[in-house]
Amino acid sequence: MSKKDLESWVTEVAKLVAPEKIHWCDGSEEEKKVLIAEMLKTGDLLELNEQTHPNCFLHRSDPNDVARVEQLTFICSRLEDDAGPNNNWMNPAEAHAKIDALFERSMKGRTMYVIPYLMGPVGSPYARAGVEITDSPYVVLNMSIMSKIGDAAIAIINSSSKFVKGLHSVGELDPARRFIMHFPEEQTIKSFGSGYGGNALLGKKCHALRLASGTAKQEGWLAEHMLILGIQPPQGETKYIAAAFPSACGKTNLAMLVPPKGFEDWKIWTVGDDIAWLHLDESGQLRAINPEAGFFGVVPGTSSTTNPNCMNTLGKNTIYTNVALTSEQEPWWEGHDLTRPDTLVDWKGNSFDPTLGGLAAHPNARFTVPASQCPSFSKEGNSPNGVPISAIVFGGRRSNVTPLVFQTYDWEHGVFAGASMASETTAAAAGQVGNVRRDPMAMKPFCGYNFGDYWAHWLSFASRSDNLPPIFHVNWFRKGADGKFLWPGFGENIRVLEWILARSDGKAEGTESAIGYLPKSGELNLDGLNLPPGATESLLAVDKKSWKKEIEDIKEYFSIFGDRLPVALSDRAESIKNMLGSV
Ligand code: TSX
Ligand code: MN
C-alpha cells in the first residue's frame, strides 16, 4: 500500500458512490472553519452561546440513530469460526455485495471527504494510520478532534505502506438499510446508514479496537478497551495503570479522578479514557499508548460532583450531540450542576415538557473534546513510547458477589478474571435493568475475532516476559442488605488504587482467599471515610456459596467457545471451585 494505492482506492470508491465533489482533508483550522460555516447553514450544527461556550456546537442526530447497533455490526472473516460466537459473522463476498449495493450512487449531489488520520502519538512506533472516506461533515469535524488528520497520517501511509481503509456514508439513516462491516483480512471497514459516533467515526471502535485487536494478535501486542491513568503520590514517582470496565461503570470519571479530602497532595494524570494499545518493550515492560486525541464521552451524569476535571475540559471547542438547549443557548443535561431551567428545548429540538416524564437530553448524549483541554491531561499523554504499566485492572458493576478489590495470583489467573468479567445492565443500556451480562475484558462489542483465540493471545504474554504487571479486579458497586452502595466511589476510589500500587510495589502483604489476594485488615486506607460498622467486611467478603454459583455461571459461559477455549481457563475455573471447598 502506498500513496498511489490510496489514490486508486479513492478513485474506485468515487466511481461507486458518485459524489458531486471530492475533498481531501488536511486538518487545518481554515478547513474546519469552512466546514462549520457550511454545517451552520444546513442546520447540521447549532452555535452555542459564544460568551459562555466559545467555539462550541450542538448536533442533533436522527432520533433513529443515537447509539451503536451491535445487531448490525459484522466481522466478515473468511472463516466463521475466526469471528467466533462473540461476533455476528457474514461471508466477506456476501457482505461486500450487500453493502456495496447500498453505497451505489449514495453520495450523489454530496461532497465525498477523504480523511487521512493517525491513531497514536506523532512519531510513535506504535501509531497507525487509516483513511476514512465519508459524506458526513459532522464525521470530519469529530475525526479532527478524535485523531490527527492530514500530514502526520499521510507521512505514515507513504513510509509504512500500511493503512486501514474505511468507507462511510450516512445514507438515508434508515435502520433497515444500515450495516457496520469489518473485513479483518483486508484491513477494511464499510459502514452505511448511521451518523452516530461509534458507527461513523471509523478510527475509534471499528479501527482502534475491532481491526486493531486482530492485528495486535498477529503482531504480538494488545488493543484494549481500557483507560490509562497515572497516579503520583506526594513527592513520589508517577505510576500508571490500565483499566477495563464495561459501559456504565464510570471509566471516564476514573480516568479524570480528582483526589478527595486527605489526598490533596496526590495527583491523577489522565492518559486516556477509552482505548489502550499495549506493547512489550525490549526489557519486557508493558507500555501503553492512547490511540485517540480526544474524548467522546457520555454527557448525562457528568457534573462538578461526579467529574470536575471533565466539566473543566468541556465548555470550549466542544461538539455536543443530543443534549438539551437552554434559552441562553447553553447545553443542559440530566445530572447537570444547574437545576433544570424552566424553559428547555429537548434533544430532538422540541420544547421540553417535563410533565410528560421524558428526558431533555438523550441518555447517550455525547461530548467530543480535545484531550489536551483536560486539566489532568498527562505530560506523557503524547509520549511516543507510551507509559509503563504497573498494574492492569478489570472491573464490573455487581451489586453482590464481587468484592471491592482483589489481586489475582498470577498472569494466567488475571486472564481468567478478565475473561469471566461481568456487569449488571443499567437503564442507560438497552434491555432489562439489573441482568448480569458477561463482558470479557469489556471487549464483548469490540473484539474483532474469536474470544477463545483472544484469551489464548492474552495467556501467551506469560512466556514472553517475566516482568508483566499484576492483574486486579475491582467493583465500586457492591450493595449492602439495605440496597445502598457500600462504597462511596468517585474520588475515594484513589484509596483502592493506592492499595493496588502498594501491592504492585511489594509494599502491602494482602491476605489470601479462594479468588485472590484481598487487602489485609488495615491495609486499605479508610481514614476519614466513616464507613458504617461492618461495611468494610461486607465490601471485602468472599461468600463461598455465591462464588460457587458464579464459577458455575462462568463455566457455562466458557463452554460456548468449545475447543477454542484455552484449557488453562477451564482448569482455572475448576481449581478455584476446589479452593472454595464443599459449602
Ligand atoms: O463513575 C462512577 N464511579 C467511578 C468514579 C471514579 N460512578 C458513576 C457510574 C455511572 C457512570 C459511580 N457510581 C461510582 C464510581 O466509583 N460509584 C457509584 C455508586 C454510588 C453512587 C452514589 C453515591 C455513592 C456511590 N452517593 C453517595 O455516597 C452520597
Ligand atoms: Mn468505550
Side-chain angles (χ1 to χ4, degrees):
M1 226 34 92
S2 70
K3 183 83 190 291
K4 216 159 148 205
D5 299 308
L6 171 56
E7 279 162 9
S8 60
W9 173 58
V10 169
T11 307
E12 185 192 314
V13 167
K15 231 189 250 171
L16 175 67
V17 302
E20 183 178 298
K21 288 195 289 206
I22 299 178
H23 175 86
W24 287 74
C25 300
D26 61 13
S28 65
E29 284 306 312
E30 183 53 33
E31 179 177 79
K32 257 192 243 182
K33 263 194 206 137
V34 173
L35 270 173
I36 289 169
E38 281 174 15
M39 292 168 76
L40 289 171
K41 234 191 295 173
T42 57
D44 249 359
L45 288 184
L46 297 174
E47 191 162 18
L48 296 179
N49 188 315
E50 252 180 294
Q51 260 75 53
T52 59
H53 290 73
N55 199 31
C56 289
F57 302 93
L58 165 64
H59 171 81
R60 294 192 183 118
S61 307
D62 186 290
N64 290 313
D65 183 35
V66 292
R68 286 186 294 103
V69 281
E70 285 176 32
Q71 69 283 6
L72 302 174
T73 301
F74 289 81
I75 300 298
C76 310
S77 48
R78 210 163 43 77
L79 301 178
E80 181 167 7
D81 260 0
D82 289 346
N86 46 304
N87 281 301
N88 300 314
W89 174 82
M90 200 184 292
N91 170 284
E94 183 191 339
H96 280 302
K98 212 172 203 131
I99 202 161
D100 284 355
L102 301 179
F103 273 114
E104 209 177 311
R105 305 189 60 74
S106 70
M107 297 188 194
K108 65 173 185 287
R110 306 171 61 94
T111 301
M112 173 174 122
Y113 300 93
V114 182
I115 317 169
Y117 64 87
L118 183 72
M119 302 303 288
V122 174
S124 170
Y126 310 135
R128 295 300 169 98
V131 177
E132 174 166 358
I133 297 179
T134 181
D135 54 7
S136 162
Y138 168 77
V139 165
V140 179
L141 204 58
N142 276 274
M143 284 290 285
S144 78
I145 295 173
M146 297 305 293
S147 67
K148 288 150 194 122
I149 286 187
D151 287 348
I154 291 286
I156 299 254
I157 292 166
N158 286 339
S159 67
S160 88
S161 75
K162 284 190 290 204
F163 69 93
V164 165
K165 294 174 185 164
L167 173 55
H168 169 255
S169 173
V170 291
E172 310 83 22
L173 300 176
D174 174 1
R177 287 164 51 82
R178 178 177 298 163
F179 288 109
I180 323 298
M181 290 171 165
H182 304 73
F183 303 87
E185 286 128 359
E186 303 163 48
Q187 290 292 292
T188 295
I189 305 152
K190 292 185 178 178
S191 167
F192 190 91
S194 168
Y196 171 77
N199 303 325
L201 311 178
L202 302 185
K204 192 175 173 66
K205 303 299 194 182
C206 300
H207 175 168
L209 286 175
R210 295 198 193 95
L211 288 189
S213 59
T215 307
K217 176 177 167 60
Q218 285 169 10
E219 299 178 356
W221 49 285
L222 294 164
E224 298 298 325
H225 191 200
M226 289 176 170
L227 65 90
I228 309 162
L229 63 77
I231 311 166
Q232 185 178 19
Q235 282 100 41
E237 194 193 335
T238 303
K239 297 283 173 82
Y240 297 88
I241 69 167
F245 298 90
S247 59
C249 289
K251 238 163 85 198
T252 303
N253 296 342
L254 187 66
M256 299 179 187
L257 184 147
V258 173
K261 210 164 145 252
F263 287 80
E264 287 90 352
D265 297 333
W266 291 62
K267 292 229 149 47
I268 296 284
W269 301 110
T270 309
V271 178
D273 81 325
D274 196 38
I275 303 178
W277 285 356
L278 301 154
H279 291 256
L280 285 177
D281 71 13
E282 320 75 55
S283 71
Q285 169 69 53
L286 197 64
R287 308 189 71 89
I289 62 158
N290 170 15
E292 302 191 282
F295 305 121
F296 181 69
V298 174
V299 178
T302 305
S303 71
S304 304
T305 339
T306 60
N307 194 339
N309 271 327
C310 190
M311 290 305 281
N312 291 322
T313 307
L314 305 177
K316 56 180 189 210
N317 313 314
T318 307
I319 305 170
Y320 294 90
T321 301
N322 299 336
V323 296
L325 191 61
T326 72
S327 52
E328 303 293 309
Q329 310 294 101
E330 292 178 329
W332 191 87
W333 53 82
E334 278 72 18
H336 197 284
D337 295 304
L338 305 172
T339 50
R340 183 171 46 74
D342 289 332
T343 311
L344 271 180
V345 174
D346 73 8
W347 65 276
K348 292 183 183 170
N350 302 321
S351 146
F352 180 62
D353 180 354
T355 64
L356 299 177
L359 298 169
H362 189 276
N364 196 31
R366 297 281 169 152
F367 55 78
T368 320
V369 70
S372 58
Q373 286 185 192
C374 181
S376 59
F377 188 63
S378 167
K379 288 167 281 297
E380 300 298 320
N382 289 311
S383 163
N385 291 321
V387 295
I389 296 299
S390 296
I392 289 175
V393 179
F394 293 123
R397 172 187 282 264
R398 298 294 297 268
S399 40
N400 42 48
V401 184
T402 314
L404 175 64
V405 59
F406 66 90
Q407 181 189 1
T408 58
Y409 284 118
D410 50 53
W411 182 263
E412 187 183 284
H413 182 206
V415 176
F416 172 86
S420 56
M421 261 169 69
S423 209
E424 283 159 19
T425 52
T426 64
Q432 251 186 307
V433 175
N435 281 353
V436 175
R437 271 208 296 225
R438 296 287 147 195
D439 189 354
M441 281 86 169
M443 285 286 277
K444 170 66 192 63
F446 307 118
C447 182
Y449 64 103
N450 193 315
F451 260 154
D453 300 342
Y454 169 73
W455 298 325
H457 178 49
W458 262 87
L459 290 167
S460 75
F461 278 66
S463 63
R464 293 175 51 210
S465 169
D466 47 22
N467 190 24
L468 292 170
I471 300 180
F472 298 80
H473 190 284
V474 301
N475 173 24
W476 317 133
F477 302 93
R478 199 165 188 173
K479 289 178 177 171
D482 58 1
K484 291 196 177 134
F485 289 114
L486 287 161
W487 181 247
F490 299 95
E492 307 298 349
N493 292 338
I494 198 169
R495 299 166 187 271
V496 175
L497 303 183
E498 183 185 13
W499 183 77
I500 285 174
L501 285 187
R503 280 295 300 162
S504 156
D505 243 7
K507 288 187 185 136
E509 246 180 87
T511 177
E512 292 185 16
S513 81
I515 64 162
Y517 296 105
L518 299 165
K520 206 167 120 175
S521 177
E523 275 184 353
L524 206 53
N525 176 1
L526 302 174
D527 294 353
L529 268 193
N530 296 316
L531 294 182
T536 317
E537 292 70 23
S538 307
L539 274 165
L540 296 175
V542 177
D543 177 65
K544 294 196 172 180
K545 197 165 154 228
S546 32
W547 265 99
K548 288 191 98 163
K549 158 108 179 27
E550 180 74 7
I551 298 292
E552 285 314 312
D553 290 352
I554 292 167
K555 280 168 63 180
E556 189 183 328
Y557 175 70
F558 280 174
S559 71
I560 301 168
F561 298 91
D563 60 7
R564 296 250 183 165
L565 178 75
V567 175
L569 295 187
S570 38
D571 284 357
R572 185 63 69 153
E574 217 45 49
S575 77
I576 294 174
K577 190 175 134 186
N578 293 335
M579 298 259 282
L580 288 161
S582 51
V583 179

